Amino acid sequence: MSSITVTPIAPALGAEISGVDLRKPLAADDLAAIKRAWSDHLVLRFRGQLLSDPELMALSRSFGELDPPGPNPYGKPFLTEFPEINVISNVKKDGVPIGNLGDGEAVWHCDMTYIETPPMAAMLHALDVPPSGGDTYWANMYMAYETLPAELKQAIAGRRAIHDATYNSAGMMRKGMKEVTDPREAPGAHHPLVVRHPETGRAALYLGRRRNSYILGLPLDESNALLDELWAHATQPEFTFRQEWKLHDLILWDNRCTLHRRDAFDPSVSRIMHRTQIKGIATIPYEQAGTVAA
Ligand code: SIN
């Protein structure tokens, strides 16, 4: 019998899990209960967990194989000892950033959808948090699809979009990329706009990030107009959960059916997060008969 408690945080998504020590290997019952809660709530928050980097990696491996971070603007891992861990931080040591994304807003996005098989999940562990600001928001993309007006569902049925690889969510160009002036020529994977979640079999709107997105086969202005409507719908506050970080919070999210963004914060305070990702499988269009895992 699992001893964990699951408390929903927001109507759309998000639940807090208590009654477990994440530094230790998870008992089979607890892992099963956490996975059930994750499938139901999409984003899980664990409070008061201080994990070392090896403990964070071991915990992440309970959910699957680690997926290393994508290329950052500086072209090398932030933690040479643990290249599987990404550092999200505004802190600089000797003038050199110790992590990615700085202190500005990180716009709505889904992680690394510019590759064919984006990570299925990510964990973000708060090691230093500002007294205010830097809140992170997640949005439920099952809900976004289910509530989409019928004409928009019709307009995107069977369509794919380009997921641009050029810029990260803080607007920084990734190492080795060139500026994109026409989204139709953006480098990056092409994914269905509506995907089938491989475990739940549910339909989720799959938008990636707005910048340089393009719906294949449409004139550019029609693609832009349709994308603007989809993004406005998908990021309505009622589909979201807001995370006001406390020290040693750990958040696990499902990258296949959520988007996330982060508020800017005061550049004079420090914020340090360590992040892991878990490998996913290739996206499939919702219309395609699904590989739904048992
Ligand atoms: C991210 O987009 O992964 C970072 C979110 C955050 O800094 O809260």
PDB file of all heavy atoms in Angstrom, residues 73-108:
ATOM      1  N   PRO A  73      22.896  28.196 -25.764  1.00  0.00           N
ATOM      2  CA  PRO A  73      23.540  29.243 -26.557  1.00  0.00           C
ATOM      3  C   PRO A  73      25.066  29.227 -26.455  1.00  0.00           C
ATOM      4  O   PRO A  73      25.754  29.821 -27.278  1.00  0.00           O
ATOM      5  CB  PRO A  73      22.989  30.546 -25.958  1.00  0.00           C
ATOM      6  CG  PRO A  73      21.723  30.155 -25.281  1.00  0.00           C
ATOM      7  CD  PRO A  73      21.920  28.748 -24.804  1.00  0.00           C
ATOM      8  N   TYR A  74      25.624  28.558 -25.434  1.00  0.00           N
ATOM      9  CA  TYR A  74      27.074  28.592 -25.228  1.00  0.00           C
ATOM     10  C   TYR A  74      27.769  27.350 -25.808  1.00  0.00           C
ATOM     11  O   TYR A  74      28.999  27.259 -25.820  1.00  0.00           O
ATOM     12  CB  TYR A  74      27.388  28.750 -23.727  1.00  0.00           C
ATOM     13  CG  TYR A  74      26.490  29.803 -23.124  1.00  0.00           C
ATOM     14  CD1 TYR A  74      25.371  29.455 -22.380  1.00  0.00           C
ATOM     15  CD2 TYR A  74      26.708  31.155 -23.396  1.00  0.00           C
ATOM     16  CE1 TYR A  74      24.498  30.419 -21.881  1.00  0.00           C
ATOM     17  CE2 TYR A  74      25.832  32.122 -22.914  1.00  0.00           C
ATOM     18  CZ  TYR A  74      24.737  31.751 -22.158  1.00  0.00           C
ATOM     19  OH  TYR A  74      23.876  32.703 -21.692  1.00  0.00           O
ATOM     20  N   GLY A  75      26.959  26.341 -26.232  1.00  0.00           N
ATOM     21  CA  GLY A  75      27.509  25.204 -26.975  1.00  0.00           C
ATOM     22  C   GLY A  75      28.211  24.157 -26.139  1.00  0.00           C
ATOM     23  O   GLY A  75      28.866  23.279 -26.683  1.00  0.00           O
ATOM     24  N   LYS A  76      28.113  24.212 -24.803  1.00  0.00           N
ATOM     25  CA  LYS A  76      28.711  23.132 -23.995  1.00  0.00           C
ATOM     26  C   LYS A  76      27.865  22.931 -22.734  1.00  0.00           C
ATOM     27  O   LYS A  76      27.181  23.864 -22.288  1.00  0.00           O
ATOM     28  CB  LYS A  76      30.164  23.432 -23.654  1.00  0.00           C
ATOM     29  CG  LYS A  76      30.414  24.776 -23.039  1.00  0.00           C
ATOM     30  CD  LYS A  76      31.905  24.945 -22.768  1.00  0.00           C
ATOM     31  CE  LYS A  76      32.059  26.193 -21.935  1.00  0.00           C
ATOM     32  NZ  LYS A  76      33.003  27.127 -22.217  1.00  0.00           N
ATOM     33  N   PRO A  77      27.934  21.710 -22.154  1.00  0.00           N
ATOM     34  CA  PRO A  77      27.101  21.445 -20.977  1.00  0.00           C
ATOM     35  C   PRO A  77      27.472  22.378 -19.824  1.00  0.00           C
ATOM     36  O   PRO A  77      28.630  22.770 -19.692  1.00  0.00           O
ATOM     37  CB  PRO A  77      27.411  20.001 -20.593  1.00  0.00           C
ATOM     38  CG  PRO A  77      28.281  19.448 -21.652  1.00  0.00           C
ATOM     39  CD  PRO A  77      28.772  20.556 -22.517  1.00  0.00           C
ATOM     40  N   PHE A  78      26.477  22.695 -18.986  1.00  0.00           N
ATOM     41  CA  PHE A  78      26.758  23.561 -17.835  1.00  0.00           C
ATOM     42  C   PHE A  78      27.445  22.788 -16.718  1.00  0.00           C
ATOM     43  O   PHE A  78      28.256  23.340 -15.987  1.00  0.00           O
ATOM     44  CB  PHE A  78      25.461  24.191 -17.323  1.00  0.00           C
ATOM     45  CG  PHE A  78      24.881  25.190 -18.292  1.00  0.00           C
ATOM     46  CD1 PHE A  78      23.708  24.936 -18.976  1.00  0.00           C
ATOM     47  CD2 PHE A  78      25.542  26.392 -18.538  1.00  0.00           C
ATOM     48  CE1 PHE A  78      23.188  25.859 -19.869  1.00  0.00           C
ATOM     49  CE2 PHE A  78      25.039  27.319 -19.433  1.00  0.00           C
ATOM     50  CZ  PHE A  78      23.852  27.053 -20.104  1.00  0.00           C
ATOM     51  N   LEU A  79      27.090  21.502 -16.558  1.00  0.00           N
ATOM     52  CA  LEU A  79      27.723  20.690 -15.507  1.00  0.00           C
ATOM     53  C   LEU A  79      28.550  19.612 -16.204  1.00  0.00           C
ATOM     54  O   LEU A  79      27.992  18.620 -16.681  1.00  0.00           O
ATOM     55  CB  LEU A  79      26.666  20.019 -14.619  1.00  0.00           C
ATOM     56  CG  LEU A  79      25.770  20.910 -13.765  1.00  0.00           C
ATOM     57  CD1 LEU A  79      24.830  20.050 -12.929  1.00  0.00           C
ATOM     58  CD2 LEU A  79      26.587  21.822 -12.855  1.00  0.00           C
ATOM     59  N   THR A  80      29.860  19.790 -16.263  1.00  0.00           N
ATOM     60  CA  THR A  80      30.655  18.828 -17.027  1.00  0.00           C
ATOM     61  C   THR A  80      30.603  17.431 -16.393  1.00  0.00           C
ATOM     62  O   THR A  80      30.640  16.425 -17.076  1.00  0.00           O
ATOM     63  CB  THR A  80      32.126  19.298 -17.152  1.00  0.00           C
ATOM     64  OG1 THR A  80      32.509  19.851 -15.903  1.00  0.00           O
ATOM     65  CG2 THR A  80      32.305  20.337 -18.235  1.00  0.00           C
ATOM     66  N   GLU A  81      30.446  17.383 -15.069  1.00  0.00           N
ATOM     67  CA  GLU A  81      30.405  16.072 -14.399  1.00  0.00           C
ATOM     68  C   GLU A  81      29.083  15.340 -14.679  1.00  0.00           C
ATOM     69  O   GLU A  81      29.022  14.113 -14.710  1.00  0.00           O
ATOM     70  CB  GLU A  81      30.557  16.293 -12.886  1.00  0.00           C
ATOM     71  CG  GLU A  81      31.084  15.084 -12.175  1.00  0.00           C
ATOM     72  CD  GLU A  81      31.129  15.310 -10.661  1.00  0.00           C
ATOM     73  OE1 GLU A  81      31.098  16.478 -10.224  1.00  0.00           O
ATOM     74  OE2 GLU A  81      31.167  14.313  -9.934  1.00  0.00           O
ATOM     75  N   PHE A  82      28.000  16.128 -14.860  1.00  0.00           N
ATOM     76  CA  PHE A  82      26.671  15.542 -15.085  1.00  0.00           C
ATOM     77  C   PHE A  82      26.032  16.203 -16.314  1.00  0.00           C
ATOM     78  O   PHE A  82      25.111  17.012 -16.180  1.00  0.00           O
ATOM     79  CB  PHE A  82      25.772  15.744 -13.861  1.00  0.00           C
ATOM     80  CG  PHE A  82      26.344  15.184 -12.594  1.00  0.00           C
ATOM     81  CD1 PHE A  82      26.710  16.029 -11.543  1.00  0.00           C
ATOM     82  CD2 PHE A  82      26.520  13.819 -12.434  1.00  0.00           C
ATOM     83  CE1 PHE A  82      27.250  15.520 -10.371  1.00  0.00           C
ATOM     84  CE2 PHE A  82      27.058  13.299 -11.266  1.00  0.00           C
ATOM     85  CZ  PHE A  82      27.431  14.149 -10.229  1.00  0.00           C
ATOM     86  N   PRO A  83      26.512  15.863 -17.520  1.00  0.00           N
ATOM     87  CA  PRO A  83      25.992  16.551 -18.717  1.00  0.00           C
ATOM     88  C   PRO A  83      24.513  16.261 -18.971  1.00  0.00           C
ATOM     89  O   PRO A  83      23.870  16.968 -19.743  1.00  0.00           O
ATOM     90  CB  PRO A  83      26.871  16.000 -19.855  1.00  0.00           C
ATOM     91  CG  PRO A  83      27.533  14.788 -19.311  1.00  0.00           C
ATOM     92  CD  PRO A  83      27.558  14.890 -17.825  1.00  0.00           C
ATOM     93  N   GLU A  84      23.959  15.244 -18.288  1.00  0.00           N
ATOM     94  CA  GLU A  84      22.519  14.958 -18.453  1.00  0.00           C
ATOM     95  C   GLU A  84      21.669  16.016 -17.754  1.00  0.00           C
ATOM     96  O   GLU A  84      20.465  16.099 -17.968  1.00  0.00           O
ATOM     97  CB  GLU A  84      22.142  13.595 -17.824  1.00  0.00           C
ATOM     98  CG  GLU A  84      22.884  12.399 -18.367  1.00  0.00           C
ATOM     99  CD  GLU A  84      24.177  12.113 -17.608  1.00  0.00           C
ATOM    100  OE1 GLU A  84      24.708  13.017 -16.921  1.00  0.00           O
ATOM    101  OE2 GLU A  84      24.672  10.986 -17.727  1.00  0.00           O
ATOM    102  N   ILE A  85      22.308  16.798 -16.875  1.00  0.00           N
ATOM    103  CA  ILE A  85      21.549  17.812 -16.130  1.00  0.00           C
ATOM    104  C   ILE A  85      21.723  19.165 -16.805  1.00  0.00           C
ATOM    105  O   ILE A  85      22.827  19.556 -17.166  1.00  0.00           O
ATOM    106  CB  ILE A  85      22.028  17.867 -14.661  1.00  0.00           C
ATOM    107  CG1 ILE A  85      21.625  16.559 -13.961  1.00  0.00           C
ATOM    108  CG2 ILE A  85      21.453  19.082 -13.932  1.00  0.00           C
ATOM    109  CD1 ILE A  85      21.915  16.539 -12.477  1.00  0.00           C
ATOM    110  N   ASN A  86      20.602  19.850 -16.973  1.00  0.00           N
ATOM    111  CA  ASN A  86      20.623  21.211 -17.498  1.00  0.00           C
ATOM    112  C   ASN A  86      20.523  22.159 -16.302  1.00  0.00           C
ATOM    113  O   ASN A  86      19.820  21.854 -15.328  1.00  0.00           O
ATOM    114  CB  ASN A  86      19.420  21.401 -18.426  1.00  0.00           C
ATOM    115  CG  ASN A  86      19.584  22.579 -19.362  1.00  0.00           C
ATOM    116  OD1 ASN A  86      20.566  23.319 -19.287  1.00  0.00           O
ATOM    117  ND2 ASN A  86      18.613  22.744 -20.245  1.00  0.00           N
ATOM    118  N   VAL A  87      21.218  23.275 -16.385  1.00  0.00           N
ATOM    119  CA  VAL A  87      21.099  24.277 -15.318  1.00  0.00           C
ATOM    120  C   VAL A  87      20.308  25.448 -15.889  1.00  0.00           C
ATOM    121  O   VAL A  87      20.619  25.942 -16.973  1.00  0.00           O
ATOM    122  CB  VAL A  87      22.485  24.753 -14.833  1.00  0.00           C
ATOM    123  CG1 VAL A  87      22.349  25.793 -13.728  1.00  0.00           C
ATOM    124  CG2 VAL A  87      23.320  23.570 -14.361  1.00  0.00           C
ATOM    125  N   ILE A  88      19.267  25.850 -15.163  1.00  0.00           N
ATOM    126  CA  ILE A  88      18.465  27.012 -15.559  1.00  0.00           C
ATOM    127  C   ILE A  88      18.768  28.076 -14.508  1.00  0.00           C
ATOM    128  O   ILE A  88      18.405  27.907 -13.337  1.00  0.00           O
ATOM    129  CB  ILE A  88      16.955  26.675 -15.547  1.00  0.00           C
ATOM    130  CG1 ILE A  88      16.637  25.411 -16.361  1.00  0.00           C
ATOM    131  CG2 ILE A  88      16.128  27.871 -16.014  1.00  0.00           C
ATOM    132  CD1 ILE A  88      16.881  25.514 -17.832  1.00  0.00           C
ATOM    133  N   SER A  89      19.457  29.126 -14.907  1.00  0.00           N
ATOM    134  CA  SER A  89      19.877  30.113 -13.908  1.00  0.00           C
ATOM    135  C   SER A  89      20.272  31.432 -14.560  1.00  0.00           C
ATOM    136  O   SER A  89      20.701  31.462 -15.716  1.00  0.00           O
ATOM    137  CB  SER A  89      21.066  29.559 -13.114  1.00  0.00           C
ATOM    138  OG  SER A  89      21.421  30.483 -12.105  1.00  0.00           O
ATOM    139  N   ASN A  90      20.159  32.482 -13.767  1.00  0.00           N
ATOM    140  CA  ASN A  90      20.638  33.810 -14.189  1.00  0.00           C
ATOM    141  C   ASN A  90      22.004  34.125 -13.580  1.00  0.00           C
ATOM    142  O   ASN A  90      22.566  35.188 -13.846  1.00  0.00           O
ATOM    143  CB  ASN A  90      19.645  34.881 -13.729  1.00  0.00           C
ATOM    144  CG  ASN A  90      19.543  34.950 -12.216  1.00  0.00           C
ATOM    145  OD1 ASN A  90      19.579  33.919 -11.544  1.00  0.00           O
ATOM    146  ND2 ASN A  90      19.426  36.144 -11.675  1.00  0.00           N
ATOM    147  N   VAL A  91      22.523  33.211 -12.747  1.00  0.00           N
ATOM    148  CA  VAL A  91      23.764  33.501 -12.004  1.00  0.00           C
ATOM    149  C   VAL A  91      24.963  33.447 -12.948  1.00  0.00           C
ATOM    150  O   VAL A  91      25.019  32.600 -13.848  1.00  0.00           O
ATOM    151  CB  VAL A  91      23.930  32.469 -10.855  1.00  0.00           C
ATOM    152  CG1 VAL A  91      25.285  32.604 -10.177  1.00  0.00           C
ATOM    153  CG2 VAL A  91      22.798  32.635  -9.847  1.00  0.00           C
ATOM    154  N   LYS A  92      25.900  34.382 -12.713  1.00  0.00           N
ATOM    155  CA  LYS A  92      27.152  34.345 -13.488  1.00  0.00           C
ATOM    156  C   LYS A  92      28.298  34.163 -12.507  1.00  0.00           C
ATOM    157  O   LYS A  92      28.294  34.763 -11.428  1.00  0.00           O
ATOM    158  CB  LYS A  92      27.359  35.650 -14.239  1.00  0.00           C
ATOM    159  CG  LYS A  92      26.367  35.825 -15.374  1.00  0.00           C
ATOM    160  CD  LYS A  92      26.678  37.072 -16.164  1.00  0.00           C
ATOM    161  CE  LYS A  92      25.676  37.178 -17.305  1.00  0.00           C
ATOM    162  NZ  LYS A  92      25.598  38.490 -17.881  1.00  0.00           N
ATOM    163  N   LYS A  93      29.282  33.333 -12.891  1.00  0.00           N
ATOM    164  CA  LYS A  93      30.517  33.200 -12.097  1.00  0.00           C
ATOM    165  C   LYS A  93      31.647  33.729 -12.942  1.00  0.00           C
ATOM    166  O   LYS A  93      31.826  33.273 -14.074  1.00  0.00           O
ATOM    167  CB  LYS A  93      30.764  31.725 -11.750  1.00  0.00           C
ATOM    168  CG  LYS A  93      30.106  31.308 -10.475  1.00  0.00           C
ATOM    169  CD  LYS A  93      30.762  30.068  -9.866  1.00  0.00           C
ATOM    170  CE  LYS A  93      29.926  29.662  -8.661  1.00  0.00           C
ATOM    171  NZ  LYS A  93      29.496  28.268  -8.708  1.00  0.00           N
ATOM    172  N   ASP A  94      32.375  34.710 -12.411  1.00  0.00           N
ATOM    173  CA  ASP A  94      33.446  35.368 -13.172  1.00  0.00           C
ATOM    174  C   ASP A  94      32.924  35.858 -14.518  1.00  0.00           C
ATOM    175  O   ASP A  94      33.580  35.698 -15.556  1.00  0.00           O
ATOM    176  CB  ASP A  94      34.636  34.413 -13.384  1.00  0.00           C
ATOM    177  CG  ASP A  94      35.169  33.891 -12.055  1.00  0.00           C
ATOM    178  OD1 ASP A  94      35.145  34.653 -11.077  1.00  0.00           O
ATOM    179  OD2 ASP A  94      35.569  32.707 -11.997  1.00  0.00           O
ATOM    180  N   GLY A  95      31.693  36.352 -14.512  1.00  0.00           N
ATOM    181  CA  GLY A  95      31.115  36.922 -15.737  1.00  0.00           C
ATOM    182  C   GLY A  95      30.551  35.881 -16.697  1.00  0.00           C
ATOM    183  O   GLY A  95      30.005  36.229 -17.744  1.00  0.00           O
ATOM    184  N   VAL A  96      30.651  34.586 -16.345  1.00  0.00           N
ATOM    185  CA  VAL A  96      30.183  33.529 -17.260  1.00  0.00           C
ATOM    186  C   VAL A  96      28.892  32.917 -16.697  1.00  0.00           C
ATOM    187  O   VAL A  96      28.867  32.523 -15.516  1.00  0.00           O
ATOM    188  CB  VAL A  96      31.263  32.419 -17.390  1.00  0.00           C
ATOM    189  CG1 VAL A  96      30.795  31.319 -18.327  1.00  0.00           C
ATOM    190  CG2 VAL A  96      32.575  33.021 -17.846  1.00  0.00           C
ATOM    191  N   PRO A  97      27.816  32.824 -17.515  1.00  0.00           N
ATOM    192  CA  PRO A  97      26.560  32.240 -17.005  1.00  0.00           C
ATOM    193  C   PRO A  97      26.763  30.792 -16.566  1.00  0.00           C
ATOM    194  O   PRO A  97      27.382  30.015 -17.294  1.00  0.00           O
ATOM    195  CB  PRO A  97      25.606  32.310 -18.209  1.00  0.00           C
ATOM    196  CG  PRO A  97      26.208  33.304 -19.141  1.00  0.00           C
ATOM    197  CD  PRO A  97      27.695  33.266 -18.906  1.00  0.00           C
ATOM    198  N   ILE A  98      26.230  30.437 -15.385  1.00  0.00           N
ATOM    199  CA  ILE A  98      26.325  29.033 -14.939  1.00  0.00           C
ATOM    200  C   ILE A  98      25.160  28.224 -15.495  1.00  0.00           C
ATOM    201  O   ILE A  98      25.089  27.017 -15.304  1.00  0.00           O
ATOM    202  CB  ILE A  98      26.350  28.904 -13.397  1.00  0.00           C
ATOM    203  CG1 ILE A  98      25.001  29.353 -12.779  1.00  0.00           C
ATOM    204  CG2 ILE A  98      27.525  29.659 -12.782  1.00  0.00           C
ATOM    205  CD1 ILE A  98      24.763  28.789 -11.383  1.00  0.00           C
ATOM    206  N   GLY A  99      24.189  28.911 -16.145  1.00  0.00           N
ATOM    207  CA  GLY A  99      23.009  28.214 -16.639  1.00  0.00           C
ATOM    208  C   GLY A  99      22.346  28.982 -17.768  1.00  0.00           C
ATOM    209  O   GLY A  99      22.840  30.016 -18.209  1.00  0.00           O
ATOM    210  N   ASN A 100      21.203  28.455 -18.168  1.00  0.00           N
ATOM    211  CA  ASN A 100      20.495  28.962 -19.346  1.00  0.00           C
ATOM    212  C   ASN A 100      19.299  29.834 -18.945  1.00  0.00           C
ATOM    213  O   ASN A 100      18.869  29.805 -17.798  1.00  0.00           O
ATOM    214  CB  ASN A 100      19.988  27.739 -20.131  1.00  0.00           C
ATOM    215  CG  ASN A 100      19.873  28.012 -21.613  1.00  0.00           C
ATOM    216  OD1 ASN A 100      20.028  29.156 -22.065  1.00  0.00           O
ATOM    217  ND2 ASN A 100      19.605  26.972 -22.377  1.00  0.00           N
ATOM    218  N   LEU A 101      18.811  30.586 -19.869  1.00  0.00           N
ATOM    219  CA  LEU A 101      17.532  31.329 -19.855  1.00  0.00           C
ATOM    220  C   LEU A 101      17.545  32.654 -19.099  1.00  0.00           C
ATOM    221  O   LEU A 101      16.559  33.381 -19.134  1.00  0.00           O
ATOM    222  CB  LEU A 101      16.347  30.468 -19.358  1.00  0.00           C
ATOM    223  CG  LEU A 101      16.039  29.179 -20.135  1.00  0.00           C
ATOM    224  CD1 LEU A 101      14.745  28.532 -19.601  1.00  0.00           C
ATOM    225  CD2 LEU A 101      15.901  29.408 -21.622  1.00  0.00           C
ATOM    226  N   GLY A 102      18.635  32.977 -18.393  1.00  0.00           N
ATOM    227  CA  GLY A 102      18.758  34.308 -17.798  1.00  0.00           C
ATOM    228  C   GLY A 102      17.640  34.647 -16.817  1.00  0.00           C
ATOM    229  O   GLY A 102      17.118  33.765 -16.126  1.00  0.00           O
ATOM    230  N   ASP A 103      17.279  35.949 -16.765  1.00  0.00           N
ATOM    231  CA  ASP A 103      16.273  36.402 -15.789  1.00  0.00           C
ATOM    232  C   ASP A 103      15.016  36.945 -16.469  1.00  0.00           C
ATOM    233  O   ASP A 103      14.120  37.459 -15.808  1.00  0.00           O
ATOM    234  CB  ASP A 103      16.868  37.483 -14.874  1.00  0.00           C
ATOM    235  CG  ASP A 103      17.511  38.609 -15.680  1.00  0.00           C
ATOM    236  OD1 ASP A 103      16.858  39.130 -16.595  1.00  0.00           O
ATOM    237  OD2 ASP A 103      18.682  38.948 -15.394  1.00  0.00           O
ATOM    238  N   GLY A 104      14.957  36.871 -17.790  1.00  0.00           N
ATOM    239  CA  GLY A 104      13.792  37.418 -18.504  1.00  0.00           C
ATOM    240  C   GLY A 104      12.659  36.411 -18.563  1.00  0.00           C
ATOM    241  O   GLY A 104      12.761  35.302 -18.028  1.00  0.00           O
ATOM    242  N   GLU A 105      11.594  36.823 -19.234  1.00  0.00           N
ATOM    243  CA  GLU A 105      10.486  35.887 -19.428  1.00  0.00           C
ATOM    244  C   GLU A 105      10.941  34.739 -20.331  1.00  0.00           C
ATOM    245  O   GLU A 105      11.704  34.950 -21.274  1.00  0.00           O
ATOM    246  CB  GLU A 105       9.302  36.612 -20.100  1.00  0.00           C
ATOM    247  CG  GLU A 105       8.125  35.685 -20.307  1.00  0.00           C
ATOM    248  CD  GLU A 105       6.972  36.308 -21.099  1.00  0.00           C
ATOM    249  OE1 GLU A 105       7.036  37.512 -21.439  1.00  0.00           O
ATOM    250  OE2 GLU A 105       6.019  35.548 -21.381  1.00  0.00           O
ATOM    251  N   ALA A 106      10.493  33.534 -20.035  1.00  0.00           N
ATOM    252  CA  ALA A 106      10.630  32.413 -20.975  1.00  0.00           C
ATOM    253  C   ALA A 106       9.218  32.177 -21.511  1.00  0.00           C
ATOM    254  O   ALA A 106       8.311  31.894 -20.724  1.00  0.00           O
ATOM    255  CB  ALA A 106      11.166  31.174 -20.264  1.00  0.00           C
ATOM    256  N   VAL A 107       9.037  32.323 -22.817  1.00  0.00           N
ATOM    257  CA  VAL A 107       7.678  32.297 -23.381  1.00  0.00           C
ATOM    258  C   VAL A 107       7.118  30.876 -23.390  1.00  0.00           C
ATOM    259  O   VAL A 107       7.860  29.899 -23.245  1.00  0.00           O
ATOM    260  CB  VAL A 107       7.648  32.889 -24.814  1.00  0.00           C
ATOM    261  CG1 VAL A 107       8.045  34.361 -24.814  1.00  0.00           C
ATOM    262  CG2 VAL A 107       8.530  32.072 -25.766  1.00  0.00           C
ATOM    263  N   TRP A 108       5.812  30.769 -23.591  1.00  0.00           N
ATOM    264  CA  TRP A 108       5.146  29.451 -23.646  1.00  0.00           C
ATOM    265  C   TRP A 108       5.867  28.531 -24.630  1.00  0.00           C
ATOM    266  O   TRP A 108       6.150  28.921 -25.760  1.00  0.00           O
ATOM    267  CB  TRP A 108       3.695  29.602 -24.126  1.00  0.00           C
ATOM    268  CG  TRP A 108       2.746  30.109 -23.111  1.00  0.00           C
ATOM    269  CD1 TRP A 108       2.105  31.309 -23.138  1.00  0.00           C
ATOM    270  CD2 TRP A 108       2.275  29.426 -21.932  1.00  0.00           C
ATOM    271  NE1 TRP A 108       1.275  31.419 -22.049  1.00  0.00           N
ATOM    272  CE2 TRP A 108       1.355  30.287 -21.297  1.00  0.00           C
ATOM    273  CE3 TRP A 108       2.544  28.184 -21.357  1.00  0.00           C
ATOM    274  CZ2 TRP A 108       0.702  29.943 -20.117  1.00  0.00           C
ATOM    275  CZ3 TRP A 108       1.897  27.841 -20.173  1.00  0.00           C
ATOM    276  CH2 TRP A 108       0.996  28.702 -19.567  1.00  0.00           C
TER     277      TRP A 108
END
